[in-house]
Amino acid sequence: MATSFAATGEPVLKDTPALEVRDGPLTVTPTKNGPLKLEGNLEIVTGTGHTVDRTQRTFLCRCGHSANKPFCDGTHKRVGFVG
């Protein structure tokens, strides 16, 4: 039996400049009843290897309801997410 995986719903890719430094410390902080706050040099990459964003600070959805996954769009407040 063959199995396969097809990525669907990938976010829009941004044309962002390369980071000056691609490594270093990364701080991940869960916010109270909200997203994960990431700080440090980071690249967000899809499962198919496409770069979505290069940044030094972002907020990632943790409630599962964002319309802009993997990024937080504030929906956690409307759905009453408790972390």
Side-chain angles (χ1 to χ4, degrees), residues 39-71:
E39 296 177 292
N41 295 326
L42 64 124
E43 295 182 350
I44 307 293
V45 180
T46 68
T48 57
H50 297 103
T51 301
V52 176
D53 197 9
R54 294 177 182 100
T55 187
Q56 293 182 315
R57 182 177 182 210
T58 195
F59 293 84
L60 299 182
C61 175
R62 145 171 110 115
C63 75
H65 295 280
S66 174
N68 190 30
K69 291 179 186 116
F71 305 102

Side-chain angles (χ1 to χ4, degrees), residues 11-12 15-17 19-22 25-26 28-29 33 42 44 50-51 55-58 63-64 66 71 75 80-81:
V12 175
D15 185 22
T16 56
L19 296 168
E20 289 184 31
V21 178
R22 291 185 67 194
L26 179 66
V28 179
T29 307
N33 299 327
L42 64 124
I44 307 293
H50 297 103
T51 301
T55 187
Q56 293 182 315
R57 182 177 182 210
T58 195
C63 75
S66 174
F71 305 102
T75 303
F81 174 73

